[in-house]
Structures are given as C-alpha cells and as structure tokens.
Amino acid sequence: MYDFDYHKPSSVADAVKLLSADPDARAISGGQTLLPALKHRLNRPTYLVDLSGIAELKGVKREGDKVTVGALTRHIEVQNSPEVKSAIPALAHMAAVIGDIQVRNRGTIGGSVANNDPAADYPSAVLGLGATVVTDKRRIAADDFFQGMFTTALEPGELLTAIEFPIPEKAGYAKMRNPASRYVMVGVFVAKTKGGVRVVVNGAGPGVFRQTEMEQALSANWSPDAVAGIKQASEGLNSDIHGSAEYRAHLVTVMAKRAVADAG
Amino acid sequence: MPQVTLTVNGKNSTVEVEGRTLLVELLREKLRLTGTHVGCDTSQCGACVVHVDGESVKACTLLAVQVDGCQVLTIEGLAAADGTLHPMQEAFREYHALQCGFCTPGMVMSAIDLVHKHPEGMSEREIREGLEGNLCRCTGYHNIVKAIAAAQDVMHGKRSELARAAE
Ligand SMILES: Cc1cc2nc3c(=O)[nH]c(=O)nc-3n(C[C@H](O)[C@H](O)[C@H](O)COP(=O)(O)OP(=O)(O)OC[C@H]3O[C@@H](n4cnc5c(N)ncnc54)[C@H](O)[C@@H]3O)c2cc1C
Ligand code: FES
Ligand code: FES
C-alpha cells in the first residue's frame, strides 16, 4: 500500500471541505472495499477522510411511509434493525447475505452504494424500491443515480449522507453468490411499490438494470410462474472466470422466481 | 507520523504508525502479538480476525489509525491470568478442531463473536454459515463446528463444562 495522510472530521461540512480541497483525497467508511483496493495499489490517495466519526450519518429512522438509513449504517445494523425488519424485511435479508460477518461488522450502506460495484447487493434494493439517494447537496432518484460499472451521479467530493427507502407493499431478493468471494454472481430484487412493480437485476451486467418484461408479467400476475418462462438476453452481460454471459442470463430467470417466492 | 492509543488485551499502548499501517501489522510487528495470522491479501481467509470493541473484524482490512481509542482483543487475551482457557479454546482442544493451527486464532475469535450474536443458540447449519469468513485448509470444518456447538452451551450457561470428546 502507498502511504497517505489521515483525517477524521466530525461533521459532514468538514468532511466535504477536506474532500473538495484535493481531487486525490478519498473518503473511507467501512474500508471493506477501499482497503483491499489500496493493498493492491489500485489507488493512490493523498489522504483519507474517515467518515466514521460523523454522528449525523448514522442510524435508521422510520417516518411515515419511508425508512431512512444513514450512509454510515453498517450491514450488520441493517440486518438487525427492528425498523428495517418490520417495514422492508427483504432489505434486512439482503444485508444478512452480504459477505461474511466480519465484512458486515464494518461495511456500510453508503460505501456500497457510492461504490456501485456491479457485483454488490445494495444497488438492486435502492433501484428496486425506487429509493432516493441523499447527498450533502441534493437528492437523487435511484433511476438517475446508477450509471454503470463503478459509476454514479455523485460528483467528485460529494458525500452520500443517507438513503430513503419508500416502504413497498411487498419485496423479495434472491442471490446466487460466488462461493469464494460471496459477492453477487446474479441477484434479482422484486418489489410491488406504489409506483408499480419493479424488477432489478444485479451482478449479471456492468451495472444494475430493470427487467421490464418481468415487471409487466408480474404486474398482471404476481407469482413465480409469471416469470418462469421469461428469458433474459445474454448480450451485454458479464462473462468472466466465474461464469459466462449465457450462464448469468439463465440465472436471472431462476433468481427472479426465487425473489418472487421470497416476497410471498 | 500519526500516533494511535488503544487498549489491547486490557493493556494501554500508544504507538507511532504510518497512515497505511494495518491493524494486523500493528499487532504483529509493533506489539509482537503474533497469534493473529495473515493468510491472504484479499480479505477472504479470516486468519487475522480479532475483536474491536467487542465485534469480530479482519485486522488485515482495518487501518491502525481507524482503531484509535478502541478496545482490541486478540487470541492472546482470551485465557484467564492463571492460564485457564476460554471455553471456546477449551472446546477447540477437546474436539480436535485444528490440525496445522494456522486458521485457529481467527476461527476462535470469529466463533466467540458468533456465539455472542446468537444468544438463542445456533443450529449446526447456522454455525457453518456463520463461518463464511474463515477458511481452513486442513480440518474439513466438521470438528470446528462440533467445538463451537459445545462451547456455545458452556458460554450460554447451559452446561457447566465440556463433555470429554465423545466422537
Ligand atoms: C471478503 C469480502 C466479501 C464481500 N462480499 C460482498 C457481497 O457479497 N456483497 C456486497 O454488496 N459487498 C460485498 N463486499 C463489499 C462490502 O459490502 C463493502 O462494505 C462495501 O462495498 C463498501 O462499504 P464500505 O463502508 O466498506 O466502503 P469503503 O471501502 O470505505 O468505501 C468504498 C468507496 O466508496 C467511497 N465512499 C465511502 N463512503 C462514502 C460516502 N458516504 N459518500 C461518498 N463516497 C463514499 C469511498 O471513497 C470508496 O471509494 C465484500 C467485501 C469483502 C472484503
Ligand atoms: S489475512 Fe486473510 S482475511 Fe485477513
Ligand atoms: S487447521 Fe490448518 S488451516 Fe485450519
């Protein structure tokens, strides 16, 4: 790892000031993505801005028809949160299948969503529930936030502060995990929301995407059988040592069926 | 150079580190606590697991500066001052849950956090799933799972001592 300086501000305003002052500075939350990358010298930040001391970024609140999760909320906290478990059990279930217990003890929802790894779990729930990403300067609809592999609408120095999830009527998630890394090979998140049915695929492509054919089928008939005959095209899906595009396309249908069954 | 002040196994230390110094490097190289192992550079094997403020973490995926002011517990801090082993250590010995022993410190530290997080007790399947972050290349895991199942009963006060290894 290259060496760097380290700062630990205690407010969002101070963190933003530090991050805006130098384009090569990087935020660190749980470090479960950033530190493995730094160890492989994939990055050379001048200094790290540790967000973990910023109290305003922590915690889960349920207000009216939405659940707001602070950016620094760790996966283990989402998994065990009474608010999340009662309002959006599929989100608690998703948090529980991220990585392993040590990763969940440190990793945060803000770090995961800001990073937008194609093999990450949370982006599919954020898009699938039609959530709003809140930053230090604006509110971004999930449909505009994810912009392909490791790319989001966040500007340099902009901090993700919270995610607001509207409470769905029903939601479910199923994931085929890579047996070694536990990241997503293919995942599907399904939700019946006020704005209609949403079906989102993660892991399979360069970024999360909506599967509109399945959305239409589930709007007409909410059951695993409704998606069983729908085939995902393999064009544009990821092919790598873990699986071919054709294999991933096949898994989309399998995971969609399981996700609907999970939603009940 | 940044300084970190932390409590390791009940002892306070103030150590000079670099920004990039990992917790596992601080433990092994500065404090000479070499019970915490390093088995990979991809954050996947769990040989380096220690507790920070009571929860298990991978010490290879945490900077020393991030644990400033924290309580760290390593495998060296588990046994009582008179040498009495922690019930989890005792169970690993009793059930022959190790062969080469390389993964053992991380396994034991993970297992203790798992037991703490499941006061209701874990099934065999839950124990296996709970060990996702710990790889063992020797034992085939069976005896590790048996040891944890026995230790959780002792830790939860359901039995007072470990049965002598029956299986
Ligand atoms: C062995 C292993 C297995 C894993 N398995 C999975 C898995 O199955 N599924 C999964 O989804 N993930 C998995 N992960 C990744 C894990 O979930 C990470 O916790 C997560 O991707 C990033 O969160 P973090 O808090 O650790 O972010 P960090 O590593 O601290 O940061 C990640 C990136 O986001 C930026 N960032 C952090 N916080 C903010 C913020 N508030 N605003 C703007 N930018 C920010 C950082 O600058 C950095 O670029 C795994 C990781 C490991 C090591
Ligand atoms: S050394 Fe392998 S996970 Fe830390
Ligand atoms: S006992 Fe050898 S790696 Fe587990």
Side-chain angles (χ1 to χ4, degrees), chain B residues 37-40 43-48 58 60:
Chain B
H37 294 162
V38 176
C40 73
S43 309
Q44 287 177 328
C45 76
C48 63
K58 292 175 180 165
C60 73

Side-chain angles (χ1 to χ4, degrees), chain A residues 56-75:
Chain A
E56 55 194 297
L57 294 179
K58 290 182 191 167
V60 177
K61 288 199 295 277
R62 181 177 180 163
E63 285 166 330
D65 57 1
K66 65 178 192 223
V67 174
T68 303
V69 182
L72 264 186
T73 312
R74 297 174 298 142
H75 309 330

Side-chain angles (χ1 to χ4, degrees), chain B residues 49-57 71-73 109-110 112-113:
Chain B
V49 171
V50 300
H51 293 188
V52 171
D53 292 340
E55 288 191 292
S56 62
V57 299
Q71 299 272 344
V72 178
L73 180 68
M109 299 312 287
S110 287
I112 292 172
D113 188 26

Side-chain angles (χ1 to χ4, degrees), chain B residues 98-104 135-139:
Chain B
L98 59 148
Q99 288 177 23
C100 80
F102 193 83
C103 69
T104 312
L135 301 180
C136 174
R137 61 187 176 179
C138 305
T139 63

Side-chain angles (χ1 to χ4, degrees), chain A residues 48-97:
Chain A
L48 294 189
V49 179
D50 185 349
L51 306 180
S52 69
I54 307 180
E56 55 194 297
L57 294 179
K58 290 182 191 167
V60 177
K61 288 199 295 277
R62 181 177 180 163
E63 285 166 330
D65 57 1
K66 65 178 192 223
V67 174
T68 303
V69 182
L72 264 186
T73 312
R74 297 174 298 142
H75 309 330
I76 194 93
E77 292 165 332
V78 173
Q79 170 183 353
N80 293 329
S81 154
E83 290 86 1
V84 177
K85 282 203 281 195
S86 70
I88 320 178
L91 187 61
H93 158 66
M94 172 182 278
V97 296

Side-chain angles (χ1 to χ4, degrees), chain A residues 28-47:
Chain A
I28 181 165
S29 289
Q32 300 302 292
T33 289
L34 186 60
L35 290 175
L38 292 182
K39 283 207 250 177
H40 291 150
R41 297 193 166 183
L42 298 176
N43 260 297
R44 188 171 193 165
T46 42
Y47 53 85

Side-chain angles (χ1 to χ4, degrees), chain A residues 86-150:
Chain A
S86 70
I88 320 178
L91 187 61
H93 158 66
M94 172 182 278
V97 296
I98 296 176
D100 51 57
I101 183 174
Q102 288 76 33
V103 168
R104 297 196 294 276
N105 277 341
R106 294 290 309 175
T108 68
I109 192 167
S112 175
V113 174
N115 191 52
N116 192 21
D117 187 324
D121 288 282
Y122 275 133
S124 66
V126 173
L127 186 57
L129 292 166
T132 301
V133 177
V134 185
T135 79
D136 61 292
K137 29 173 133 45
R138 55 190 173 135
R139 302 165 54 81
I140 309 169
D143 290 288
D144 304 324
F145 184 80
F146 299 107
Q147 304 184 345
M149 200 173 269
F150 295 107

